[in-house]
Amino acid sequence: MNTSPRQKILIVDDEPDIRELLEITLGRMKLETFSARNLGEAQALLQREHFDLCLTDMRLPDGTGLELVQHIQQRAPHLPVAMITAYGSLETAINALKAGAFDFLTKPVELPRLRELVSSALRLPTAGGLSTAIERRLLGDSPPMANLRKQIDKLARSQAPVYISGESGSGKELVARLIHEQGPRASQPFVPVNCGAIPSELMESEFFGHRKGSFTGAVEDKPGLFQAAHGGTLFLDEVADLPLSMQVKLLRAIQEKAVRSVGGQQETVVDVRILCATHKDLEAEVSAERFRQDLYYRLNVIELRVPSLRERRDDIEALAMHVLKRLAKDTGQPEARLHPQALEALKNYRFPGNVRELENVLERAHTLCENRTIEAQDLRLSEGNCTADGAMADLTQIDNLEDYLESVERKLILQALEETRWNRTAAAQRLSLSFRSMRYRLKKLGLD
């Protein structure tokens, strides 16, 4: 006989019919319900009982649902709260998510959506396990990283769309994965997509799928990225690279929570949490009319900034040790050690490519070093990106100006390609070059 206690749900609504509907539905899910007619009754119940979820109407006789969300955030931050709003009150729903609500429902309440939301909220990890798991994956004890872990912990307990900003190579995809893995969708797919790497003519098919025969080459039905991420998380990396025509279709899919495949006649309902990222200034892209303002507001409900490696130099040693241990394990060789001068050189380097560049630098040095000791010269750091004294180039080391300039050009282009995962279009944009000019330089330098 199962004697485990039933999970408790607090329902806050001044309409008896709504309370009764929610009580009956949740009772059939074997959940114990407690009801409150107003803010005061809800706060009194919260003092007496431990709850696993709170469902609250936005408008209450003596206050608002937002006030209740804020009250719970202060006293029981790990209690998920779902807001019930009038149909079409998107701004209200967004304000609730920003205040810390887990998710929202619109009136009239659709029972399948209610059951889905409740089941998702009750799958949240219990308090205490989140920070430890995040700490194991996100290395560094600097204040910026401590703050980032705290924010990830909080956002993992929400269904709000998150815009992850930060420089290339700073770890935006890892942050997105952690938000997914520590949340209620962890057992469902995490689907990352680099928006800058999909040819514009294939975007609609890639995102929404296509039906057999809908265009030349469509030899069978194919689901899109939204369908692949159903029940889980869709991570849109470099979202600023989406063309305006695709932005319109993406906005509609997010608003309607449904997609129509290319050549399809009916829409398919999809349940995905949207996380997005870009190294560009998305607000500036909106001002320049390269990114739709309405889509920006839907994606940027909450912004999470990932610090650059320059902002957390205290973490460089720990990161370097971690990378060297991984390289030793991967290669089956003894672990290399960093000479103190090499470590100092790393700490004085600007790292325009952030953690990804640190990994590449150490991987190269690990291969080149002798006696399992990485010397400063093994790092082959670009002097122009060192912060120590800003010294000018040593002319005695330059035999031929053209060769020297060509080597600098090669380094910068390779760095841009590495930072953009060898996406030539994105690398050209990073260097403010036209694609034609980029193609010419790649051919000239033998990099094509």
Side-chain angles (χ1 to χ4, degrees), residues 208 226 236 242 246-254 295:
F208 309 133
F226 267 85
L236 304 175
L242 286 173
M246 190 61 205
Q247 292 176 29
V248 176
K249 293 168 184 173
L250 176 61
L251 176 64
R252 188 180 186 283
I254 294 171
L295 178 59

Side-chain angles (χ1 to χ4, degrees), residues 139-435:
L139 300 177
D141 296 320
S142 62
M145 292 308 286
N147 183 53
L148 180 62
R149 278 195 289 268
K150 185 177 178 182
Q151 290 178 294
I152 291 172
D153 191 330
K154 182 177 179 180
L155 292 175
R157 305 189 66 82
S158 165
Q159 294 299 289
V162 179
Y163 162 47
I164 304 169
S165 63
E167 296 179 7
S168 291
S170 57
K172 297 188 292 296
E173 183 172 333
L174 173 59
V175 167
R177 283 185 182 276
L178 287 169
I179 292 173
H180 169 77
E181 290 172 6
Q182 303 306 313
R185 296 174 179 263
S187 62
Q188 300 301 316
F190 174 85
V191 179
V193 52
N194 186 334
C195 298
I198 304 175
S200 57
E201 64 273 15
L202 296 178
M203 273 194 175
E204 188 172 359
S205 169
E206 286 294 314
F207 274 93
F208 309 133
H210 62 251
R211 300 300 301 274
K212 179 180 177 180
S214 56
F215 56 85
T216 304
V219 295
E220 60 183 1
D221 289 356
K222 178 189 172 186
L225 294 163
F226 267 85
Q227 292 95 324
H230 180 66
T233 302
L234 183 61
F235 174 53
L236 304 175
D237 199 5
E238 299 304 345
V239 71
D241 291 343
L242 286 173
L244 287 167
S245 58
M246 190 61 205
Q247 292 176 29
V248 176
K249 293 168 184 173
L250 176 61
L251 176 64
R252 188 180 186 283
I254 294 171
Q255 286 177 333
E256 301 299 323
K257 297 188 177 181
V259 297
R260 179 180 295 171
S261 58
V262 177
Q265 300 299 315
Q266 295 182 327
E267 290 192 329
T268 302
V269 173
V270 287
D271 168 33
V272 296
R273 184 182 187 184
I274 300 289
L275 305 178
C276 72
T278 179
H279 71 274
K280 295 181 179 178
D281 183 337
L282 207 51
E283 197 168 342
E285 293 295 301
V286 172
S287 299
E289 298 184 350
R290 290 189 292 265
F291 201 85
R292 291 181 63 96
Q293 188 175 51
D294 46 7
L295 178 59
Y296 171 72
Y297 286 131
R298 288 308 302 260
L299 296 175
N300 189 25
V301 172
I302 297 173
E303 180 175 354
L304 178 61
R305 183 176 174 276
V306 181
S308 68
L309 195 51
R310 294 185 300 283
E311 297 172 74
R312 54 185 191 107
R313 294 187 183 279
D314 292 346
D315 295 331
I316 288 177
E317 183 173 1
L319 287 167
M321 296 303 103
H322 174 77
V323 172
L324 292 176
K325 281 183 182 177
R326 176 172 55 78
L327 288 171
K329 184 179 178 181
D330 292 346
T331 60
Q333 297 177 341
E335 187 178 329
R337 62 177 285 271
L338 269 177
H339 190 280
Q341 289 182 350
L343 178 59
E344 190 64 24
L346 289 175
K347 289 183 176 180
N348 286 330
Y349 185 65
R350 286 190 67 252
F351 281 107
N354 292 290
V355 178
R356 190 184 300 144
E357 185 180 6
L358 174 64
E359 292 174 341
N360 292 340
V361 164
L362 290 173
E363 190 169 348
R364 183 173 61 228
H366 185 270
T367 304
L368 295 174
C369 74
E370 296 181 3
N371 302 318
R372 314 311 307 154
T373 299
I374 296 175
E375 305 282 351
Q377 61 266 26
D378 295 325
L379 299 171
R380 297 191 177 185
L381 299 175
S382 166
E383 290 184 11
N385 279 320
C386 291
T387 60
D389 55 12
M392 297 177 67
D394 183 357
L395 294 180
T396 63
Q397 301 297 316
I398 301 174
D399 297 322
N400 182 292
L401 180 61
E402 290 297 328
D403 289 346
Y404 176 76
L405 292 176
E406 188 172 291
S407 72
V408 172
E409 184 178 15
R410 177 189 293 271
K411 282 181 182 177
L412 291 173
I413 287 176
L414 282 172
Q415 179 181 316
L417 286 167
E418 286 179 359
E419 289 181 13
T420 57
R421 303 180 190 178
W422 289 80
N423 180 332
R424 297 183 181 194
T425 303
Q429 291 174 344
R430 192 101 165 86
L431 296 168
S432 298
L433 295 173
S434 68
F435 185 72

